[in-house]
Amino acid sequence: MTKIVNSWNDFDPLKHVIVGKADFTVIPDEEPATSEKVPVDSEMRGMWGPRPTETVEKANEALDRLAKELENRGVKVDRPTPIQWNQAMMTPDFRVPSGQTQMPPRDILLTMGNEIMASANSFRCRYFEYLAYWPLMNQYFEEDPEFKWSQAPRPRLTDKSYKHNYYDEQITLEERLERTANLDFVTTEAEPMWDAADVLRLGKDLFIQHGLTTNRKAMEWFKRYYPEHRIHAVNFPGDPYPIHIDATFVPLRPGLIINNPERRLPEEQRKIFEANDWQIVDAAPPAHKEPPPLCYSSVWLSMNCLVLDHKNVIVEASEVHQLEQMEKLGMNPIPVDFRDAYAFGGGLHCATADVYREGDCEDYFS
Ligand code: DAV
């Protein structure tokens, strides 16, 4: 019997990882939680249905390229089992015309030591996404006697979980920013809701972004579920669409973190890093002015890199400024052509979920 699952952060030596798959990905219909994060001028407004086949194929080629690069470097790669998302889905509380994808595993799976937990996502279309990972979870469960296979309390996602007409008017960017600053998001506090990609793991400390996909009650739930950890709620008032922390605040190795210069990390949140001699460096500007077509994410996927160990980091091949900055920071950047996968839910970090990194749960902020 072997130990298969272990990971406490995003930078210790990576040995085993899950890389998502783009098959059957659907652009979901609008629902209370999703319309809010599609910019008003996006060509995705008001459209839904299966993504064009050739884009799915290209995304899968990008994901396969990443998998191959990882395998060539001795990292074991597992893949989810795709599900036909182009079908209606229902629970006793809601019905949606389709699911979404199994592309960004980072949104769904949170690895905490020997535990992998499926999250409590706020989008109804993502309610069943965890099922694509269940065959892998079952396999780890059979092979690793210490593996803790778990699932956060499933939110009901009734109408009480959302503020209705939250974005009914075409609100301006300034108003969006004001709402971020005031911690006023589309989700209510009816029940804990969180995406795993809002959780930044640094050993004993979890920095969790409060935004469109994770609420305050989730922070309270984390405090009670992980009493040995320190839970920090973070918020970036410069982000008009705060969803997921991994294009905003990205650790590269112990003591070094790159920070999105547009999203205005509050002084208050900076303190704990500076008091513990962490260096917070503004990330290099993205190489692109626009995200690719039909993409939910921002150009800041440039900083959504996958750290392999304290020296090596995979960076998207066209992100010339980010590649260059990595070298200046003493890292060895490994370019992988990955932009074709962006529209399917994110970059290199989003597209993966940790299974095994060497190392223990360290206390970086004592
Ligand atoms: O900045 O657009 C991208 C993260 C997607 N999982 C952003 C966040």
Side-chain angles (χ1 to χ4, degrees), residues 117 151-153 192 194 216-226:
M117 186 188 308
Q151 164 72 65
W194 56 277
R216 285 273 160 191
K217 213 178 224 173
M219 314 281 175
E220 177 59 27
W221 180 83
F222 269 97
K223 279 183 191 158
R224 295 189 206 176
Y225 192 84
Y226 292 115

Side-chain angles (χ1 to χ4, degrees), residues 6-182:
N6 182 69
S7 172
W8 288 108
N9 54 56
D10 279 324
F11 46 53
D12 279 348
L14 182 67
K15 298 291 164 194
H16 188 173
V17 74
I18 297 171
V19 172
K21 278 193 167 212
D23 309 56
F24 307 127
T25 302
V26 170
I27 296 176
D29 192 11
E30 277 192 29
E31 53 166 289
T34 60
S35 51
E36 328 311 349
K37 73 179 179 68
V38 181
V40 279
D41 56 354
S42 166
E43 76 271 48
M44 285 163 79
R45 276 258 145 172
M47 77 183 265
W48 72 277
R51 284 185 179 259
T53 310
E54 65 275 14
T55 65
V56 174
E57 284 167 358
K58 284 193 144 177
N60 271 335
E61 283 165 24
L63 289 155
D64 291 348
R65 270 196 296 278
L66 172 62
K68 193 134 204 65
E69 183 67 45
L70 287 161
E71 282 168 348
N72 288 345
R73 289 173 181 274
V75 180
K76 183 171 161 48
V77 176
D78 284 335
R79 312 298 296 271
T81 306
I83 287 176
Q84 175 51 266
W85 297 111
N86 188 24
Q87 55 177 317
M89 307 203 171
M90 64 190 286
T91 73
D93 295 304
F94 65 81
R95 185 176 191 278
V96 283
S98 77
Q100 182 167 273
T101 187
Q102 60 285 305
M103 179 351 225
R106 193 69 67 176
D107 302 359
I108 307 294
L109 301 176
L110 181 70
T111 312
M112 289 282 290
N114 61 354
E115 174 178 20
I116 299 181
M117 186 188 308
S119 53
N121 310 79
S122 61
F123 294 6
R124 290 171 174 169
C125 60
R126 304 195 78 173
Y127 195 82
F128 294 107
E129 206 166 308
Y130 70 98
L131 292 175
Y133 304 102
W134 253 218
L136 288 175
M137 295 305 115
N138 195 46
Q139 186 191 324
Y140 305 155
F141 187 75
E142 286 173 359
E143 292 170 3
D144 177 351
E146 285 170 26
F147 172 49
K148 284 163 67 179
W149 177 6
S150 59
Q151 164 72 65
R154 310 242 58 209
R156 291 189 68 172
L157 307 182
T158 69
D159 287 346
K160 292 198 183 76
S161 293
Y162 312 100
K163 293 176 196 161
H164 295 274
N165 306 322
Y166 183 72
Y167 281 125
D168 243 14
E169 311 292 316
Q170 296 233 324
I171 73 157
T172 61
L173 196 64
E174 286 67 40
E175 283 167 297
R176 275 182 186 270
L177 289 169
E178 217 168 281
R179 287 181 181 187
T180 304
N182 294 336

